[in-house]
Amino acid sequence: MKTLFCFIVIFLFWGINNTAIGAESLKDMAMGDAYFDVATGHRYIKNSNTTYAEYSKKGKLLRTDVPNTQPHLAKSKYITELTSESYLVYERNLTEGIVQQILPASNKHPEGWRCKEMLPLSAEAYERPGIEE
C-alpha cells in the first residue's frame, strides 16, 4: 500500500510539473520578426525560428544566438515588437547640439547614430502642417 501511494504521488507530481512547464514554454516564446527593448535601446532581429541577433543602441552586433525562449525577450515588459508601422528615433551629438532623425524600423541602423526610442505609430498618425482634415 505504501509503495502504491508513493507511486501515485510521484506520478501526479511528475505529470503536473511537466504540464505546467509545457504550457509555459509554448506561451513564453518570441515569435515576431523584430523586437525593441525600450529600457536599453537594443534591437533583436530574427535569425531563424529559434534565435535572434541582438544589436546595441549604436547598431553594434552583440550576440547572434539569443534564444526565442529567453525570458527577457519572451515576456519582459520592456520588450516591444517592431512592426511595419514602427519608427525608431536616432540621435547624434554634434557641436551645435543633438540632432535627431526618425526612420522606419525596417531601415538599417545609420552609422554613427544611437537609437534613442521607438515610435509605435505610423507616419499617417501624425498631423501634417498646413493640412486640415
Side-chain angles (χ1 to χ4, degrees):
M1 183 70 169
K2 186 176 182 181
T3 307
L4 179 62
F5 178 76
C6 288
F7 176 77
I8 291 172
V9 169
I10 290 171
F11 180 77
L12 288 175
F13 178 76
W14 182 78
I16 291 170
N17 194 22
N18 282 344
T19 303
I21 291 171
E24 184 179 350
S25 66
L26 292 176
K27 187 171 99 175
D28 296 332
M29 287 180 17
M31 301 301 285
D33 290 331
Y35 291 92
F36 182 75
D37 184 344
V38 296
T40 63
H42 289 194
R43 199 191 310 192
Y44 298 87
I45 299 176
K46 193 174 205 174
N47 284 336
S48 67
N49 287 336
T50 59
T51 62
Y52 285 81
E54 179 180 5
Y55 294 88
S56 72
K57 66 171 51 180
K58 292 186 178 182
K60 180 183 174 188
L61 178 64
L62 300 175
R63 289 178 57 192
T64 58
D65 60 347
V66 178
N68 66 344
T69 56
Q70 178 179 338
H72 174 69
L73 185 58
K75 60 183 177 181
S76 172
K77 66 180 179 179
Y78 300 108
I79 295 291
T80 304
E81 185 173 356
L82 294 173
T83 65
S84 61
E85 295 185 348
S86 299
Y87 285 79
L88 297 174
V89 179
Y90 295 95
E91 280 189 351
R92 184 178 213 174
N93 287 330
L94 299 176
T95 54
E96 303 90 33
I98 295 176
V99 177
Q100 290 186 334
Q101 66 175 332
I102 300 171
L103 297 174
S106 59
N107 282 20
K108 190 174 179 180
H109 191 104
E111 191 172 328
W113 293 76
R114 285 187 323 264
C115 188
K116 182 69 176 171
E117 63 181 304
M118 182 187 126
L119 298 174
L121 301 175
S122 65
E124 290 79 27
Y126 293 98
E127 292 183 30
R128 289 179 248 160
I131 299 175
E132 294 183 24
E133 294 184 19

